[in-house]
Amino acid sequence: MAVFMGGCGPGKLDPLLKERPTPARVGGAIPVTPVKQPVDLASFRADPCGSLKREDIAALVIDPPDRVKPARADSPLTGCAWVTRDAPQLRVQVPAVKEKSLAGLSTLSASNQGTYSGWREFSIEGLPAAQYHLFGDMKSCAMVVGVSDDAALEFDYMYPDGVDSQYWGADRCAGVLKAAELVIGNLRDR
């Protein structure tokens, strides 16, 4: 026999996080090669949705994260999307274009500025990175991180119409930066 505690009907669930996440630490631009602290993507390729912990999903998508269902993508690209209604959406993947490195994507962005509008280079977690708005879409913020001389990870953080982030407000780029910081940190710990 089960005993139910609490009031009638659905209530607001308590957040998982006890305090607001700190913004990502971003450094100045560094050369895209050689990558001095490469990250092995073997564990990402094996389990891309495992690259974020439950508390990371709470910080990035919605807190508590119980409604978020990760969706793995495989061939031709490898990645994961964390999506739920009425909350920001995050996608992390190996680049879907022919160029798989940050160096190659930098060259591609220079010749396709409409595709990679606002391209801005910097570093995160000691790795070279660039942030942009894919096809000028201001409802999302995207970035690519060079994890080795010949590999990168793409991050895309987007908001459905009329939705802001619980922790990042309307700043999509703050969300994508934090996503990259968390994923890279988790991959290094695996």
Side-chain angles (χ1 to χ4, degrees):
M1 177 157 50
V3 177
F4 294 97
M5 306 286 284
C8 297
K12 186 160 174 101
L13 299 173
D14 290 333
L16 176 67
L17 302 180
K18 300 302 177 213
E19 56 189 51
R20 181 178 210 86
T22 59
R25 290 173 299 202
V26 176
I30 60 175
V32 296
T33 59
V35 174
K36 295 185 180 187
Q37 301 172 24
V39 175
D40 186 355
L41 289 184
S43 64
F44 181 82
R45 285 186 171 90
D47 181 17
C49 296
S51 62
L52 286 177
K53 300 173 187 168
R54 189 167 186 266
E55 60 268 17
D56 301 336
I57 297 166
L60 297 166
V61 182
I62 194 166
D63 189 6
D66 303 332
R67 295 186 293 139
V68 180
K69 304 292 182 228
R72 180 184 173 129
D74 286 304
S75 186
L77 53 92
T78 299
C80 187
W82 293 267
V83 178
T84 191
R85 286 189 46 214
D86 303 324
Q89 302 169 3
L90 172 64
R91 182 176 37 89
V92 181
Q93 68 185 30
V94 172
V97 294
K98 180 181 175 187
E99 297 296 338
K100 302 294 184 201
S101 70
L102 181 55
L105 289 167
S106 292
T107 301
L108 189 62
S109 76
S111 61
N112 292 304
Q113 292 190 1
T115 303
Y116 301 96
S117 70
W119 184 272
R120 172 179 81 91
E121 294 186 4
F122 56 94
S123 61
I124 191 161
E125 291 292 302
L127 298 169
Q131 188 176 70
Y132 52 92
H133 295 282
L134 196 57
F135 301 108
D137 182 1
M138 300 309 283
K139 291 182 185 176
S140 74
C141 189
M143 67 181 289
V144 62
V145 178
V147 295
S148 70
D149 289 351
D150 56 359
L153 281 179
E154 284 183 327
F155 298 80
D156 194 10
Y157 194 67
M158 59 206 113
Y159 293 7
D161 286 334
V163 172
D164 282 343
S165 168
Q166 191 171 351
Y167 293 117
W168 309 108
D171 191 347
R172 293 150 179 83
C173 292
V176 81
L177 290 169
K178 190 64 176 182
E181 181 182 75
L182 291 169
V183 167
I184 296 301
N186 291 339
L187 291 176
R188 284 185 168 150
D189 289 344
R190 284 183 168 183

